[in-house]
Amino acid sequence: MNDSSGGTVLIRGGRVIDPGSGLDRAADVLIRDGRVERIGVGLESGGARVVDATGCLVTPGLIDPHVHLREPGQTHKEDIASGTACAVAGGFTTVCCMPNTVPALDSPELVRWVMRRAAETGHCRVFCVSAGTVGRKGERVADIAGCVEAGAIGISDDGDAIADPAMMRAVLEQCAKCDRVFMQHCQDPAMTRGSVMHEGAVSRRLGLVGWPREAEETIVERDIAIARETGARYHVQHISSAGTVDLIRRARAEGLRVSGEASPHHLLLTDEAIERQGAAAKMNPPLREWSDVIALREGVADGTITVLATDHAPHSADEKRRPMATAPFGIIGLETALALYAEALVHPGLIDWPRLIGLMTIEPARLCGLDAHGLGSLVEGGVGDVTVIDPEMEWVIGPDDLKGKSTNTPFLGWVVRGRAIATIVGGRVAFQQTRKAVALG
Ligand SMILES: [Zn+2]
């Protein structure tokens, strides 16, 4: 990604929201040489490229702390260029990529390789989450300090949990030493052998191997105990069960540095989607029941869940067409996340737009230490990463809206409201969407 565009952009007439500083007012934003030069009323364009933000929210660039860019090794699904094209189309200026590539991101050399590749081919900022164990195998602690020094902003074996508690403790001790967050994919492997979907009435009806909530909750409970002992910062990825929300709520009340994230699909869908859509709705962790969806939404509303993350997980159409038992887990999410979060949280009145923006900017920035890079904020003199959102724009999610190599989403055809109309990365307009009303029906 080329940062030094040198161009000047004036975002005119929007509602400027910066949750980190509490700013929320009508103003223009002038960006010059990659920085926010001024936030004020009636700014002169002076030859700047003008973005009309009438009726729009002007926010810090959105941050997704959990995406899969599939490079190196699985570039038939996605690569850094295509994945970051999805990101800017969804309003994201920064993404954090998970280490379950081929090979796994478990060494400083690989972290540097991805960052160099992102600088050359990416459309937005990319930060690496590096593996906690060598090859993500859960057997030997990876060179966490080396990876952090190379630029890793978090540690995870995502795709798998670290199953051995002694290994988990050793990894958390390293994370605490490096002051980096550990992000756990909470899945007890012994409880989920061959599991395809949530264990319940639907799995029994379909005759598919179930995946109980306890497979997630027992890992979370164990890890909170280890986090308490080690003082490490611990983060639960893609929460799926109501019990996990309760465990995190209690840990936070105790003052532990424990957090969790929710993904669009877990805030909107239940296991019944599997019955209707098959592998298109096959996720890891699985979609659960309506009571879990409600608990996740309440967890966001009461401040237990502080971060939203897509878990953008591209897979080819051929792979997703396999039978339920062998089709891969996961769906894409970057292009549709903002509208779907609004659908789950803002439109029903659980939180307002400034809260939603906070969950997508300053909160993930703090989680990953990106606030130290000036990301997640919109302030004079700060980094020129800005997203312009039309909160009322209604649109139908269609194939043309998907910018990556894969189109595996169960949300095709959904009518949603709210969309990023401009994404500015380091002062450069990386994406712009025309605002003409979409014909519905
Ligand atoms: Zn995961």
Side-chain angles (χ1 to χ4, degrees), residues 66 68 98 100 156-160 184-186 237-238 261 284-285 311:
H66 186 160
H68 300 273
M98 288 297 141
N100 58 339
S156 176
D157 271 5
D158 186 35
D160 292 291
Q184 181 79 297
H185 170 107
C186 300
Q237 298 183 299
H238 41 50
E261 72 193 23
N284 179 346
D311 189 12

Coordinates of all heavy atoms in Angstrom, one line a residue, residues 66 68 98 100 156-160 184-186 237-238 261 284-285 311, ligand 1:
H66 N -9.7 -9.5 12.6 CA -9.8 -10.9 12.3 C -10.2 -11.2 10.9 O -11.4 -11.3 10.6 CB -10.8 -11.6 13.3 CG -10.8 -13.1 13.3 ND1 -11.3 -13.9 14.3 CD2 -10.4 -14.0 12.3 CE1 -11.2 -15.1 14.0 NE2 -10.7 -15.2 12.8
H68 N -9.0 -13.5 7.1 CA -8.1 -14.6 6.5 C -7.8 -14.1 5.1 O -8.7 -14.1 4.3 CB -8.8 -15.9 6.5 CG -9.1 -16.4 7.9 ND1 -8.2 -17.1 8.7 CD2 -10.2 -16.2 8.7 CE1 -8.7 -17.4 9.9 NE2 -9.9 -16.8 9.9
M98 N -4.9 -13.5 10.0 CA -4.7 -14.6 10.9 C -3.6 -15.5 10.3 O -3.3 -15.5 9.1 CB -6.0 -15.4 11.0 CG -7.0 -14.7 11.9 SD -6.3 -14.5 13.6 CE -7.0 -12.9 14.0
N100 N -3.2 -18.8 9.9 CA -3.4 -20.1 9.4 C -3.3 -20.2 7.9 O -4.2 -20.7 7.2 CB -4.7 -20.7 9.9 CG -5.9 -19.9 9.5 OD1 -5.8 -18.7 9.2 ND2 -7.1 -20.5 9.5
S156 N -2.1 -15.9 17.9 CA -3.2 -16.8 17.8 C -2.8 -18.0 17.0 O -1.9 -17.9 16.1 CB -4.4 -16.1 17.1 OG -5.4 -17.0 17.0
D157 N -3.4 -19.1 17.3 CA -3.3 -20.3 16.5 C -4.6 -20.5 15.7 O -5.0 -21.6 15.4 CB -3.0 -21.6 17.3 CG -1.5 -21.8 17.5 OD1 -0.7 -21.0 17.1 OD2 -1.2 -22.9 18.1
D158 N -5.3 -19.4 15.4 CA -6.7 -19.4 14.9 C -6.8 -20.5 13.8 O -6.0 -20.8 13.0 CB -7.1 -18.1 14.3 CG -8.5 -18.1 13.8 OD1 -9.3 -18.7 14.5 OD2 -8.8 -17.4 12.8
G159 N -8.0 -21.1 13.9 CA -8.3 -22.3 13.1 C -8.3 -23.5 14.1 O -9.0 -24.5 13.9
D160 N -7.4 -23.4 15.1 CA -7.4 -24.4 16.2 C -7.2 -23.7 17.5 O -6.6 -22.6 17.5 CB -6.2 -25.3 16.0 CG -6.4 -26.2 14.7 OD1 -7.3 -27.1 14.8 OD2 -5.6 -26.0 13.7
Q184 N -7.8 -16.4 21.2 CA -8.0 -17.8 21.1 C -9.2 -18.2 20.3 O -10.3 -17.6 20.4 CB -8.2 -18.4 22.6 CG -8.4 -19.9 22.7 CD -7.2 -20.7 22.6 OE1 -6.5 -20.7 21.6 NE2 -6.9 -21.4 23.7
H185 N -9.0 -19.2 19.4 CA -10.1 -19.9 18.7 C -10.5 -21.0 19.7 O -9.8 -22.0 19.8 CB -9.5 -20.5 17.4 CG -10.4 -21.4 16.7 ND1 -11.1 -21.1 15.5 CD2 -10.8 -22.7 17.0 CE1 -11.8 -22.1 15.2 NE2 -11.7 -23.1 16.0
C186 N -11.6 -20.8 20.3 CA -12.0 -21.7 21.5 C -12.8 -22.9 21.0 O -14.0 -22.8 20.8 CB -12.8 -20.9 22.5 SG -11.9 -19.5 23.1
Q237 N -12.0 -15.2 20.3 CA -12.4 -14.9 18.9 C -13.8 -15.4 18.7 O -14.3 -16.3 19.4 CB -11.5 -15.6 18.0 CG -10.0 -15.1 18.1 CD -9.1 -15.8 17.0 OE1 -9.0 -17.0 17.0 NE2 -8.5 -15.0 16.2
H238 N -14.5 -14.8 17.7 CA -15.8 -15.3 17.3 C -16.7 -16.1 18.3 O -16.9 -17.3 18.1 CB -15.7 -16.1 16.0 CG -14.6 -17.1 15.9 ND1 -14.3 -18.0 16.9 CD2 -13.6 -17.2 15.0 CE1 -13.2 -18.7 16.5 NE2 -12.8 -18.3 15.4
E261 N -14.9 -11.0 20.9 CA -15.4 -10.4 19.7 C -16.7 -11.2 19.2 O -16.8 -12.4 19.4 CB -14.4 -10.4 18.6 CG -14.1 -11.8 18.0 CD -12.8 -11.9 17.2 OE1 -11.9 -11.1 17.3 OE2 -12.8 -12.8 16.3
N284 N -17.3 -22.1 11.7 CA -16.6 -22.6 12.9 C -16.2 -21.3 13.7 O -15.4 -20.5 13.2 CB -15.3 -23.3 12.4 CG -14.4 -23.7 13.6 OD1 -14.7 -23.3 14.7 ND2 -13.5 -24.6 13.3
P285 N -16.7 -21.2 14.9 CA -17.7 -22.0 15.6 C -19.1 -21.9 14.9 O -19.3 -21.0 14.2 CB -17.8 -21.5 17.0 CG -17.4 -20.1 16.9 CD -16.3 -20.0 15.8
D311 N -14.1 -12.3 10.7 CA -13.6 -13.6 10.5 C -13.8 -14.0 9.0 O -14.2 -15.1 8.6 CB -14.3 -14.7 11.3 CG -13.7 -16.1 11.2 OD1 -12.6 -16.2 10.7 OD2 -14.3 -17.0 11.7
Ligands
ZN1 ZN -11.3 -19.1 14.3

